[in-house]
Amino acid sequence: MSATGAVLARPSVSGGGAGLLPQVMLALVCGGYAAGAVLGWGSSGLAVFMGDFGLSAAALAASVSCLWYGRTRSGRLRPAWLLFAASSFMAALGNGVWGWYEVVLGRPVPSPSPADFCFLLFAPPAIVGMLVLAKRPVTRAGWICLALDAWLIAGSLLTLSWSLALAHTAQFGGGGESVARRAFSLAYPLLDIVLVSMVVAVHFRRSSTNRSAINTTIAAFAVTVLCDALFTSPLLREHYRSGQILDAGWFAGSILLAYAPWVARREAAQAPPTTVRRPARPAQPSRASAGSLAALAPYLAAAVCTLGILYNVMDGRPIDGVMLFTACAVVLALVVRQAIMLLDNISLTQELAEKENHFRSLVQSSSDVIMIAAPTGILRYVSPAATGVYGRDADDLVGSELASLIHPEDLGSVVHEVRRFLAASPGEEPTTRIECRFRSGSGDWLNVESTINRHHGGLIFNSRDVTERVRLQAQLQHSAEHDPLTDLPNRSLFTKRVSHALAGRRRTDAGTAVLFIDLDGFKAVNDTVGHQAGDELLVQAARRLQESVRSGSGDCAARLGGDEFAALILGDGDRDTAARECRILEIADRLRARLSQPYQVVGGTEVRVAASIGVAFAEPGTSPGELMRNADLAMYRAKAAGKNRVELYAPQMQADVTRRAEFATRLRTALNDGEFVLLNQPVVELAGGRITAVAAQPRWRSAQGILFTPAEFLRVADSGHDTARGGRGGEDAARTAELARWTLEAAVEQAAERRRDGFPVPVCVRLPASRLVDRSMPPKSVEALLARHGLPSGALILELTDSDPRVPLDELEHRLSALRRLGVRVALDGFGSGYAAIRALRRLPIDVLKLDRGLVEGVVESSRLHKITSGLLRIAGDLGMQSLAEGVDLPEQIVALRAMGCSHAQGAAFSGPLDEHRLRRALNRGSYPVSRSDSPVLVGGALPVRHLGHVALHGAGHPAGHAAGHGAGHGPRRAEPHTHPPSRSNTETPVPPT
């Protein structure tokens, strides 16, 4: 029970309460059996039963436990548990045979008996299993030493046991009839001696895997061997009866062996993952003493053998042959082992010398400098590499103080790191690294990186020169934070400096401001003079900007990209808002004037640009990102307000941007959500008031039920900030193209439905010229759309609304010519509102000239505008085009336009945009009343319809005769003195040279 308690008292794993409960139950079971054995179990029959079948049950439990664990596990130790299962099974079988004789048959057990054979077969599997548990030697000499150690232990135990008891056992009984019994009597202790030898060997050479389980197994076999040794004594054996206290020891050994696999299982469950590498820990004192005891074990065994011989001599007994042979064998094994160890030590000494020379050569030839410093900071050793790295002889550095070689600015951080490193646990932090500047032999400072290790109370420095690396890092850092062209700080560094200004000691200074600067007209310099001149202009502008900010005050200038610059002006602590605004605006205006001065670029060319500047002040709670965004908004407000000016940020700017962004977001989803509707405005012939066409006009119905025109919702969505920035240009173009696509498809679909219902009126659809030449638009998309809805091509009029000079006229002319050949008519929208319209009129095949609203609104009041409009209408007539006036809202305008020769009009004077129901009512009516006057009026025809390369004039939706009834002739009209010539196509009318 003492051995069992010793094992239980040593927790093998950190299981807390989960590991303590099985141990307590194990102790209670063993204690209960021992108490029953001491008290005699209450009756002789129960004592015999518990002494025989109780031991058999305990051994069988050990066998089943070891067999289960061995079959469910894999690894090097698996055979050991299977062997222990076989050993325990033999013990269970032997106790069962013993109980069969005593309990079942009721007679004494013969000697020898089958139980003796089972008990003898208990030891061999256990011995082999213990060998498996032992740590395997890695060399042949190690295996020989393991065998010699086992023999030394076994021989010494045999000598001691022979001198004390076995000699008497060998002579007990006398006569030839007792040979078998004497053999069995000697076999038990001899096998136990071998088993004890294995137990001792395994204890000193046990594997680190499942250490607690192996300790439990060793304790189990130790208890079993101790009971076997006591049973071997003739005195105890003569008085032995089943169920006595000796059986309690065997029972405890079997129970411990049955418990050992469960200890191993709990260790495996609580073991950390093998992938986690833990730092090596210094050897514990108990482990160091165990290692020393293991080294002394052979000599202790020889001492035990010597004591056994001395005991016999002092007792006056003769030294028989067995003892002499065993003693000589022990001495011989000790000598052989000592010789092997001596040869092994010589080999290790030579290997150590070779490794020392190898490492010495590595240290001597290493390019890194290795220094050993005492705890006082005095250098004890410096490798020869110091001459090449530091430019100083290693011997000159030895004895010097390390602190005197480190730059004074770096000494504090180095001392702090070294103290922190020495205070940390060596297992948790075996090394550390520092970087500092080290004085070289020439007096320069070198950047040195050192790895520090502990060394017998001192420190080892493994140092290398990283000056070139630090220089390259600084260069890369500078390149990453500065603009490569102007060498000004870039956006990243400027943002850091703004953050430092807002978060540093000056965060309470009032008046800190950020200026965003954009060069107006810089693109024109690139386009006209060239990009090299543009780069020179940017360099000069950066130099002027850098010279204009206050040097040494913390102010800085930066280039954000392209022609955008920024400046940070730190506040002077002035709490007067008006004064600080005046000061910053004065600086910004002076900077604007400086940047707007002429620049001398390539070849002495003088160019000019202007500067738009936005100013934003840092308010309490303003983040760096918000401050820069505010300055950006103010700068683009300055550009939208006319450029070459300074604009101060106001909170309303951000509110406008937010509102427009929300509006644009809703607009992007409006088409997909079906929020767009298509209205149609009648196009009226001024001669008779007939409806000759309808103009499709999209409207957006907002969530509040308001209908927005395209001009209104595009103007709201496209802010001046976005237009100036250009960052949303692609998104706006995509939105406009999507709207044009939807309008065209919806207009064609509705026109086709009206034609099927008896209203064959042409439809006018506004389409950007850029959309016609867009590569994303299929070449035959218009033709396919007309064919899909069954609408004749002559019933479609495309109004070109785009005057973008970037649109290639060659491609546009080719595309329009292809459409006109199919009968699609082309109108030039917004004529008179820009210079690009004249260029389009000269190059493109146009059928209808649509006057801009601005030419119509004042045509009655302004004689100058009257002459301009009249001249444009005369040009249209000379080119053989029909004319259409937009925005005709007053009867006086109808009279004036008809007198000037305008053939068609649309506007509030006739009707506003109508939904489909009201439009059909108007088409049923067929015409609108037209104001008359006594002045002669040009009688125009319907909008032209392309047929076989010429223009035919007829009333839309009416046959020729019916059209004549309305005053619209089917053929060409006879020209009156005040009228224009008959209409012809653009290809039939010569275009005057321009």
Side-chain angles (χ1 to χ4, degrees):
M1 283 301 300
S2 60
T4 305
V7 174
L8 295 179
R10 295 182 57 189
S12 58
V13 292
S14 56
L20 183 61
L21 181 61
Q23 296 175 0
V24 171
M25 294 179 62
L26 182 65
L28 291 176
V29 171
C30 295
Y33 191 95
V38 170
L39 298 176
W41 297 103
S43 66
S44 59
L46 182 58
V48 172
F49 181 85
M50 292 301 297
D52 293 336
F53 291 109
L55 293 181
S56 179
L60 186 59
S63 176
V64 172
S65 178
C66 293
L67 180 62
W68 169 81
Y69 184 76
R71 290 181 59 87
T72 57
R73 291 293 184 271
S74 60
R76 188 181 67 85
L77 301 183
R78 179 187 180 187
W81 297 106
L82 296 178
L83 290 170
F84 293 155
S87 176
S88 298
F89 179 75
M90 298 310 298
L93 187 59
N95 285 302
V97 172
W98 198 287
W100 175 264
Y101 280 105
E102 289 189 337
V103 177
V104 178
L105 300 180
R107 58 188 180 89
V109 181
S111 181
S113 67
D116 293 322
F117 289 99
C118 294
F119 291 140
L120 288 177
L121 292 177
F122 163 81
I127 294 171
V128 178
M130 297 299 288
L131 285 174
V132 174
L133 289 181
K135 182 187 294 185
R136 294 184 179 181
V138 295
T139 62
R140 183 181 301 175
W143 283 105
I144 296 175
C145 288
L146 177 62
L148 292 176
D149 290 345
W151 166 246
L152 286 172
I153 297 171
S156 61
L157 292 177
L158 179 60
T159 304
L160 184 62
S161 300
W162 190 271
S163 62
L164 294 178
L166 293 183
H168 300 286
T169 302
Q171 299 173 1
F172 178 77
E177 69 279 5
S178 61
V179 172
R181 185 174 182 181
R182 288 201 306 271
F184 276 109
S185 299
L186 290 175
Y188 282 117
L190 291 178
L191 290 175
D192 286 340
I193 288 173
V194 177
L195 185 57
V196 169
S197 302
M198 292 300 101
V199 168
V200 175
V202 169
H203 177 71
F204 290 131
R205 293 177 175 268
R206 63 184 181 273
S207 174
S208 59
T209 306
N210 296 337
R211 182 177 295 273
S212 298
I214 294 176
N215 289 338
T216 305
T217 304
I218 292 173
F221 284 113
V223 172
T224 302
V225 170
L226 177 62
C227 294
D228 287 346
L230 295 175
F231 180 75
T232 307
S233 174
L235 182 60
L236 290 178
R237 188 168 184 176
E238 290 180 359
H239 299 87
Y240 170 77
R241 296 292 182 273
S242 296
Q244 293 182 346
I245 188 61
L246 191 60
D247 291 344
W250 282 316
F251 182 84
S254 297
I255 294 299
L256 281 175
L257 188 58
Y259 176 65
W262 297 93
V263 177
R265 183 172 179 270
R266 191 168 68 251
E267 276 188 321
Q270 297 179 355
T274 56
T275 56
V276 179
R277 296 178 58 91
R278 294 186 175 181
R281 296 183 177 180
Q284 300 295 331
S286 59
R287 296 185 181 180
S289 60
S292 301
L293 187 60
L296 294 176
Y299 305 100
L300 294 176
V304 171
C305 182
T306 304
L307 289 176
I309 297 175
L310 290 177
Y311 176 79
N312 273 348
V313 172
M314 294 177 64
D315 197 28
R317 301 176 185 175
I319 301 176
D320 55 8
V322 175
M323 182 178 297
L324 183 60
F325 175 79
T326 304
C328 292
V330 169
V331 174
L332 180 60
L334 183 60
V335 172
V336 173
R337 188 185 188 282
Q338 188 65 25
I340 293 175
M341 294 301 297
L342 180 60
L343 294 176
D344 195 21
N345 288 338
I346 294 174
S347 176
L348 290 176
T349 302
Q350 293 176 351
E351 184 179 356
L352 181 61
E354 291 177 0
K355 289 184 178 180
E356 183 178 358
N357 293 332
H358 174 69
F359 286 110
R360 184 182 298 276
S361 63
L362 288 178
V363 172
Q364 298 291 340
S365 60
S366 174
S367 59
D368 294 350
V369 180
I370 299 176
M371 301 182 297
I372 300 178
T376 58
I378 304 299
L379 295 177
R380 293 178 178 175
Y381 172 79
V382 179
S383 65
T387 304
V389 176
Y390 297 150
R392 306 180 66 174
D393 190 68
D395 296 335
D396 296 339
L397 292 176
V398 174
S400 61
E401 190 173 356
L402 183 61
S404 64
L405 305 175
I406 300 177
H407 195 282
E409 295 179 1
D410 301 337
L411 183 59
S413 60
V414 171
V415 172
H416 173 75
E417 176 62 21
V418 170
R419 289 178 177 175
R420 186 202 62 79
F421 171 66
L422 293 177
S425 171
E428 297 177 356
E429 190 174 4
T431 63
T432 188
R433 192 182 66 174
I434 61 172
E435 288 191 16
C436 62
R437 284 168 287 181
F438 200 88
R439 187 187 300 276
S440 66
S442 60
D444 299 331
W445 293 102
L446 303 176
N447 293 95
V448 176
E449 180 186 68
S450 301
T451 302
I452 304 178
N453 296 271
R454 296 175 178 84
H455 175 69
H456 299 303
L459 296 173
I460 299 178
F461 290 80
N462 192 346
S463 307
R464 62 192 62 86
D465 182 12
V466 293
T467 304
E468 185 65 19
R469 189 194 72 186
V470 172
R471 186 186 67 80
L472 290 177
Q473 287 179 345
Q475 183 178 353
L476 292 175
Q477 183 72 15
H478 181 84
S479 300
E481 295 182 341
H482 288 76
D483 176 57
L485 179 63
T486 63
D487 203 40
L488 287 179
N490 59 13
R491 184 182 295 272
S492 174
L493 181 57
F494 184 74
T495 304
K496 291 180 182 178
R497 292 186 177 178
V498 172
S499 302
H500 179 73
L502 297 184
R505 61 179 180 84
R506 304 178 64 102
R507 63 183 180 274
T508 57
D509 292 350
T512 298
V514 168
L515 281 63
F516 264 47
I517 307 156
D518 185 85
L519 301 181
D520 304 321
F522 175 74
K523 184 179 183 301
V525 175
N526 277 338
D527 296 339
T528 56
V529 189
H531 287 275
Q532 183 178 356
D535 291 344
E536 290 187 10
L537 188 150
L538 291 176
V539 172
Q540 295 180 33
R543 188 180 305 115
R544 294 181 185 182
L545 179 60
Q546 201 165 18
E547 292 171 355
S548 300
V549 299
R550 298 172 299 178
S551 59
S553 62
D555 298 350
C556 71
R559 183 190 178 201
L560 305 182
D563 59 344
E564 290 189 357
F565 295 85
L568 172 65
I569 309 298
L570 296 181
D572 55 1
D574 191 355
R575 298 292 178 178
D576 188 355
T577 303
R580 72 184 186 184
E581 288 184 2
C582 181
R583 181 180 69 87
I584 294 297
L585 291 177
E586 181 182 355
I587 294 174
D589 193 66
R590 186 171 65 250
L591 184 58
R592 179 197 59 79
R594 182 81 173 91
L595 293 175
S596 300
Q597 295 176 1
Y599 295 84
Q600 296 289 335
V601 292
V602 178
T605 304
E606 183 178 288
V607 295
R608 288 177 177 270
V609 294
S612 297
I613 302 178
V615 181
F617 285 96
E619 302 295 341
T622 303
S623 66
E626 293 174 346
L627 180 59
M628 296 176 64
R629 181 205 61 196
N630 296 343
D632 195 17
L633 291 174
M635 184 264 287
Y636 283 107
R637 177 60 63 89
K639 291 180 72 68
K643 303 181 180 180
N644 194 22
R645 57 184 292 146
V646 178
E647 193 76 27
L648 186 62
Y649 170 78
Q652 184 61 32
M653 297 180 183
Q654 179 60 31
D656 293 343
V657 171
T658 303
R659 179 178 56 84
R660 284 190 291 265
E662 293 176 354
F663 193 90
T665 301
R666 295 200 305 270
L667 182 60
R668 282 192 293 271
T669 60
L671 282 174
N672 297 329
D673 295 344
E675 297 180 11
F676 273 87
V677 296
L678 192 65
L679 304 182
N680 293 275
Q681 188 173 27
V683 176
V684 179
E685 181 190 26
L686 293 181
R690 288 185 303 105
I691 301 175
T692 58
V694 294
Q697 297 181 3
R699 294 291 187 269
W700 177 33
R701 189 184 304 276
S702 67
Q704 293 77 21
I706 303 174
L707 287 177
F708 290 96
T709 66
E712 290 172 341
F713 59 67
L714 289 178
R715 182 173 62 251
V716 173
D718 302 336
S719 65
H721 169 72
D722 294 331
T723 305
R725 179 188 295 271
R728 295 175 59 93
E731 185 177 339
D732 298 337
R735 185 167 61 247
T736 303
E738 181 67 15
L739 177 60
R741 182 196 62 78
W742 179 86
T743 303
L744 179 61
E745 291 185 357
V748 170
E749 181 180 1
Q750 290 184 6
E753 291 179 358
R754 285 193 294 268
R755 178 171 289 273
R756 287 192 294 268
D757 294 340
F759 302 102
V761 59
V763 61
C764 303
V765 181
R766 290 185 177 183
L767 191 68
S770 57
R771 178 65 178 166
L772 281 175
V773 296
D774 191 357
R775 298 189 182 277
S776 63
M777 182 177 181
K780 301 293 184 180
S781 58
V782 176
E783 296 86 333
L785 180 63
L786 295 173
R788 184 168 70 250
H789 293 285
L791 184 69
S793 57
L796 176 63
I797 303 173
L798 294 180
E799 298 180 357
L800 300 183
T801 63
D802 201 341
S803 59
D804 190 350
R806 294 174 295 180
V807 176
L809 286 182
D810 293 337
E811 295 184 20
L812 183 59
E813 182 181 6
H814 177 74
R815 178 68 174 139
L816 291 178
S817 298
L819 291 173
R820 290 180 77 242
R821 284 193 296 269
L822 294 175
V824 176
R825 288 167 288 172
V826 180
L828 184 61
D829 187 28
F831 187 74
S833 61
Y835 299 104
I838 300 297
R839 187 168 65 106
L841 188 63
R842 183 171 61 89
R843 293 283 305 275
L844 301 179
I846 304 298
D847 297 306
V848 180
L849 196 65
K850 191 172 183 179
L851 297 181
D852 184 67
R853 177 183 292 270
L855 297 175
V856 177
E857 288 178 347
V859 71
V860 178
E861 295 83 1
S862 173
S863 60
R864 183 182 183 88
L865 188 59
H866 186 281
K867 293 177 180 179
I868 294 174
T869 305
S870 177
L872 293 177
L873 289 172
R874 189 176 300 111
I875 292 174
D878 293 339
L879 295 178
M881 301 178 186
Q882 292 293 319
S883 55
L884 172 62
E886 183 182 12
V888 180
D889 299 334
L890 302 174
E892 295 82 358
Q893 295 172 350
I894 299 176
V895 174
L897 290 171
R898 185 174 55 190
M900 285 185 283
C902 183
S903 59
H904 297 81
Q906 68 181 83
F910 304 104
S911 172
L914 304 175
D915 58 20
E916 189 65 20
H917 176 69
R918 290 184 176 88
L919 176 64
R920 295 198 178 202
R921 288 172 55 187
L923 292 177
N924 277 327
R925 208 168 45 243
S927 63
Y928 287 96
V930 178
S931 300
R932 300 287 180 176
S933 67
D934 297 334
S935 58
V937 179
L938 173 67
V939 179
L943 291 180
V945 180
R946 300 294 303 173
H947 290 294
L948 301 177
H950 69 277
V951 180
L953 303 179
H954 64 80
H958 301 279
H962 184 69
H966 285 273
H970 181 65
R973 298 179 182 272
R974 183 177 300 273
E976 298 182 7
H978 60 277
T979 61
H980 295 289
S983 298
R984 293 177 298 173
S985 69
N986 187 41
T987 58
E988 297 171 351
T989 304
V991 179
T994 58

